[in-house]
Amino acid sequence: MSHLLLTPVDVIVDSREDSKHPDFRRALSMRGLRVSVQPLPAGDFLLLAPPDKQCILVERKTVDDLANSIRDNRIWEQTKLLREAAEKDGHQPLIVVEGWIGALEKYRGWKIQSVLRVLDTLMLDFKIPVLNTPNAEATIEWIVAKSKSLGETKEKRVLRMRVEKKPMDLNERILYVVEGLAGPTIARRLLSHFKTIRNLANATISDLLKVEGIGEKRAQEIYAVLNTPWRES
């Protein structure tokens, strides 16, 4: 099921991405883009375009994110979801890798040719372009420039946005909450292991490390989200 978004919008930011990195929304708005926060089926940003051009569905990964998804072997499922979501709505998928890829060789001891093989597989086998930006500021500047190149704001509309035919049931709501912490694949593993959100919230870093696909950094991130007091900005 779909509906028209009547208010002119340049960029849609995925609601889960916005909850983790609200600075992107604020920066894009400050640079004159009209930004809407909505749940996207995949990706972090949707750059809207007039009917004669393709919208661009963007998955943003820092170099550390890329490394973790390669190490956990999540990269292929994530890429498949991005491609399927883009194809379903007629969008162009794009992966933005943010940061210096050479850091994986210098600081983690990875063979650079192995990292490049992953990237060429994304581009050649999955047919998804990969754009490397040096930092978050550069990513923001690229989004602004690319969005403006796609056409005037007044010409842009969300032509298709899937909405649920019925409210999510309790099981779906539980999964939705945990997906905001760790993405779709790891969320299911967390719930399979801990059974309830309460158990997950009470888990230590050592407990989290027992779940397949969760390394030290991911465990610390999940623990921090669940245990750091919220402060109103």
Side-chain angles (χ1 to χ4, degrees), residues 202-215:
N202 291 332
T204 65
I205 291 178
S206 295
D207 294 331
L208 293 168
L209 287 170
K210 296 176 183 177
V211 177
E212 180 187 356
I214 293 186

Side-chain angles (χ1 to χ4, degrees), residues 103-219:
L104 299 181
E105 182 177 47
K106 184 172 182 179
Y107 299 112
R108 294 200 182 201
W110 289 25
K111 293 182 178 180
I112 194 63
Q113 62 266 36
S114 299
V115 180
L116 294 176
R117 280 288 294 117
V118 171
L119 297 181
D120 81 50
T121 299
L122 297 178
M123 291 185 284
L124 300 178
D125 294 351
F126 283 87
K127 308 299 182 185
I128 298 180
V130 177
L131 176 67
N132 184 211
T133 63
N135 49 46
E137 290 75 16
T139 300
I140 290 168
E141 292 300 334
W142 172 79
I143 291 175
V144 172
K146 187 63 182 178
S147 178
K148 290 180 178 179
S149 77
L150 290 174
E152 294 296 324
T153 301
K154 64 183 181 181
E155 299 173 342
K156 298 174 183 176
R157 298 290 186 274
V158 179
L159 301 178
R160 290 191 61 212
M161 284 295 293
R162 287 186 296 276
V163 296
E164 297 294 329
K165 295 181 180 179
K166 59 181 181 179
M168 289 186 289
D169 62 27
L170 183 58
N171 204 50
E172 290 170 330
R173 289 167 66 186
I174 292 169
L175 179 60
Y176 182 80
V177 169
V178 181
E179 281 183 344
L181 292 172
T185 302
I186 300 298
R188 284 171 169 78
R189 293 177 186 172
L190 287 168
L191 288 170
S192 177
H193 184 87
F194 292 106
K195 307 303 182 186
T196 70
I197 293 176
R198 181 183 294 276
N199 290 342
L200 174 58
N202 291 332
T204 65
I205 291 178
S206 295
D207 294 331
L208 293 168
L209 287 170
K210 296 176 183 177
V211 177
E212 180 187 356
I214 293 186
E216 183 73 28
K217 182 177 180 180
R218 176 63 64 86

